[in-house]
Amino acid sequence: MHITVVGSGYVGLVAGACFADMGHQVILVDNDQQKLDALNVGTVPIHEKFLPELLQRHRGRSLSFSADLQSAVEASAAVFIAVGTPPTEQGQADLSYVESVARSIPAAINGYKVIVEKSTVPVYTSEWICKILRRNAAAPDSFDIASNPEFLREGTAVVDFLYPDRILVGADSERCAAVLREIYAPLTTGNYYKHADAIPGPDRAQLPPPLIITSTKSAELIKHACNAFLAMKISFINAVASVCESVGANVQEVCQGIGSDGRIGPRFLNPGIGYGGSCFPKDLMAFRAVARECGYEFRLLDEVMRINEDQRHRFLRKVHNALWTLRGKRLGVLGLAFKGGTDDIRESPAISLVQTLLQEGCQISAYDPAANDRAREVLNSSVEFASDAYTAARGADALLILTEWEEFTTLDLDRLQKELKYPIVIDGRNLFDPETMAARGFTYYSVGRPAVMPKALPLEAGIPSKKASNS
């Protein structure tokens, strides 16, 4: 099928590449000529596993890039709108980019088209798109509006697209639903997975994935409700971690007990410094705004957001408890992206913490496997960017772990201890076992678990080693 995807951001680029890998002819449209030029020469603008391989495989063949929306719409049976919906100052989703695309489509309609919301949008957006198309002279029987929310996790977005838990389609007519069924047939029939060059999937993928058909309004609500629920699980376990710290319990043991309940499950029960990224913070505010417009005060969402913000303050208190005063202290920081596997720093709790520590007079040496360049644009010359984890730790009064990169879990702890001025690690992602850290000579703080002191170190934590005293 011939498909147009409007918007070459995170969702649009991944969707376009994956549709091409499923066998469709895809035109990816964007009004940023510089971005299009980069894509046309093979530059991959985001850090995402398997995306470079897909772009190299299909660029110039089944995947093309264009600034000509009208020609792309004329050539396509379905048009996916994947433009940004940033939050306004009031927390609502800014739908001006969606409206702009909708206004441009009617002039290019030369037959029946399905216009698909791929961006995360509030309920009623489909109705507004329909109104905009009709106001701009699109015949009522020449189009349908569908909602096809994405459930992609940054870092695993390509795999999530091709091996989804479910494919959700909101369509209010059988004619519209039939087009979406055809688009996703390579996945729902299982034919895609028979190809020798198919992207490898996770071990426990449900194949073929189920296709769920709902109304457009239900699909729009499902996306916001899903992200709100996942954010709630994160805030819930962070609140439980705070109780664990107060009573001396181990939150990982609590997580094991909770997560083994089939009604709850273990996913998203990972205590840390809070959620971030381009989805959860924005979508929670938008969902709350939608509820308020409907006359419902969704106070649970307020508490989810408050707990998330408080988690960062609690981590800062750990830093103070470990080091007392912070002015003039040198801190090594591992991780700047909002999560491992991506270079995205939008709403990153790690960036927020670094900015606060800088305000308190700390010197920061930071390292992230993928996000150094993006973070440099935000933090400027205030932070020293290291080329690896050991360089970031060199001479530091303490090491802070702020992002759960797998690379950090395999660090040489003996080498790390030698690089640090004081063997103090404050782990905001619980990457290490406390007993192991104590046995290797570290004073180790984590989230929801008791702090531990070195077991075989002659000097108390906080007192300079001989190496540090002579320097």
Side-chain angles (χ1 to χ4, degrees):
M1 184 173 287
H2 289 262
I3 295 172
T4 287
V5 178
V6 186
S8 64
Y10 202 96
V11 173
L13 189 58
V14 170
C18 290
F19 281 142
D21 208 47
M22 289 160 57
H24 300 299
Q25 291 292 320
V26 182
I27 304 172
L28 193 61
V29 176
D30 202 289
N31 59 6
D32 186 336
Q33 190 60 52
Q34 184 176 359
K35 184 183 292 187
L36 293 174
D37 292 341
L39 288 168
N40 275 315
V41 298
T43 301
V44 183
I46 58 176
H47 182 90
E48 186 60 49
K49 190 175 182 180
F50 296 124
L51 186 58
E53 292 91 327
L54 290 187
L55 293 179
Q56 183 178 8
R57 182 185 299 177
H58 300 294
R59 179 172 56 89
R61 300 176 184 86
S62 55
L63 178 62
S64 60
F65 308 100
S66 173
D68 189 347
L69 176 60
Q70 182 161 342
S71 296
V73 173
E74 290 174 351
S76 300
V79 180
F80 286 77
I81 301 177
V83 296
T85 55
T88 65
E89 291 183 2
Q90 293 74 34
Q92 300 168 320
D94 180 355
L95 301 175
S96 59
Y97 300 112
V98 175
E99 182 181 7
S100 178
V101 174
R103 285 200 309 266
S104 302
I105 289 175
I109 292 181
N110 57 352
Y112 177 68
K113 309 287 182 182
V114 174
I115 315 303
V116 188
E117 305 167 343
K118 198 66 177 170
S119 305
T120 300
V121 294
V123 68
Y124 293 123
T125 300
S126 59
E127 290 188 1
W128 272 107
I129 293 175
C130 183
K131 289 178 183 179
I132 295 300
L133 266 65
R134 290 185 179 182
R135 285 176 183 175
N136 288 272
D141 61 350
S142 67
F143 70 91
D144 274 311
I145 310 299
S147 177
N148 177 219
E150 51 81 17
F151 299 98
L152 310 179
R153 299 167 297 169
E154 293 193 33
T156 59
V158 170
V159 172
D160 291 342
F161 194 103
L162 296 171
Y163 295 83
D165 294 328
R166 75 288 198 199
I167 299 167
L168 176 63
V169 170
D172 295 327
S173 75
E174 178 54 36
R175 186 185 187 187
C176 177
V179 172
L180 271 298
R181 285 195 185 96
E182 184 177 350
I183 289 173
Y184 283 105
L187 303 185
T188 57
T189 61
N191 287 337
Y192 171 80
Y193 310 112
K194 298 174 184 178
H195 295 170
D197 59 351
I199 294 297
D203 293 335
R204 298 183 179 180
Q206 180 181 355
L207 299 178
L211 178 70
I212 301 173
I213 304 290
T214 71
S215 68
T216 53
K217 290 179 181 177
S218 293
E220 290 166 339
L221 274 174
I222 286 169
K223 171 61 177 178
H224 271 150
C226 182
N227 278 359
F229 191 86
L230 295 176
M232 182 184 68
K233 285 189 75 173
I234 294 171
S235 284
F236 176 81
I237 202 61
N238 279 333
V240 170
S242 299
V243 176
C244 288
E245 291 177 1
S246 298
V247 301
N250 186 322
V251 73
Q252 286 190 315
E253 295 173 349
V254 175
C255 287
Q256 183 179 10
I258 296 173
S260 61
D261 189 323
R263 298 166 298 176
I264 299 172
R267 297 177 67 182
F268 284 83
L269 292 180
N270 300 308
I273 56 176
Y275 60 77
S278 63
C279 292
F280 284 1
K282 171 177 70 72
D283 292 351
L284 258 70
M285 290 191 294
F287 196 25
R288 181 180 61 178
V290 167
R292 285 177 175 172
E293 289 177 6
C294 298
Y296 181 73
E297 196 67 31
F298 211 148
R299 293 188 178 89
L300 177 60
L301 300 184
D302 294 334
E303 189 61 15
V304 169
M305 290 184 277
R306 188 200 65 79
I307 293 172
N308 193 60
E309 183 65 26
D310 184 60
Q311 200 65 11
R312 303 178 192 185
H313 300 314
R314 291 185 66 87
F315 185 81
L316 284 170
R317 288 197 289 273
K318 291 182 189 294
V319 181
H320 277 281
N321 290 339
L323 299 176
W324 191 19
T325 63
L326 297 185
R327 183 166 299 279
K329 296 290 173 63
R330 180 176 177 83
L331 303 178
V333 167
L334 299 187
L336 296 167
F338 86 92
K339 60 173 285 188
T342 179
D343 60 350
D344 196 344
I345 61 169
R346 288 175 290 181
E347 298 294 330
S348 170
I351 294 291
S352 176
L353 285 167
V354 166
Q355 290 172 329
T356 301
L357 291 167
L358 290 170
Q359 292 172 359
E360 296 209 24
C362 294
Q363 300 173 24
I364 304 290
S365 177
Y367 167 68
D368 188 285
N372 269 9
D373 289 341
R374 292 188 185 272
R376 188 178 283 109
E377 296 173 2
V378 175
L379 300 172
N380 300 317
S381 59
S382 304
V383 170
E384 177 185 323
F385 290 91
S387 58
D388 57 64
Y390 305 106
T391 304
R394 188 167 299 154
D397 293 281
L399 182 69
L400 279 52
I401 301 176
L402 304 183
T403 307
E404 68 281 19
W405 281 95
E406 184 177 351
E407 174 182 325
F408 299 156
T409 65
T410 59
L411 290 173
D412 182 334
L413 296 179
D414 292 333
R415 180 181 174 186
L416 190 67
Q417 202 230 39
K418 293 176 182 178
E419 294 286 1
L420 288 163
K421 182 178 180 181
Y422 302 112
I424 301 172
V425 173
I426 309 167
D427 186 354
R429 298 297 184 177
N430 288 5
L431 297 189
F432 297 102
D433 173 65
E435 294 302 314
T436 299
M437 295 298 283
R440 304 298 277 273
F442 289 95
T443 297
Y444 180 70
Y445 300 82
S446 55
V447 179
R449 304 182 295 184
V452 294
M453 306 292 283
K455 289 186 175 180
L457 199 66
L459 300 173
E460 292 295 328
I463 300 178
S465 64
K466 183 176 180 181
K467 172 186 67 175
S469 300
N470 294 335
S471 62

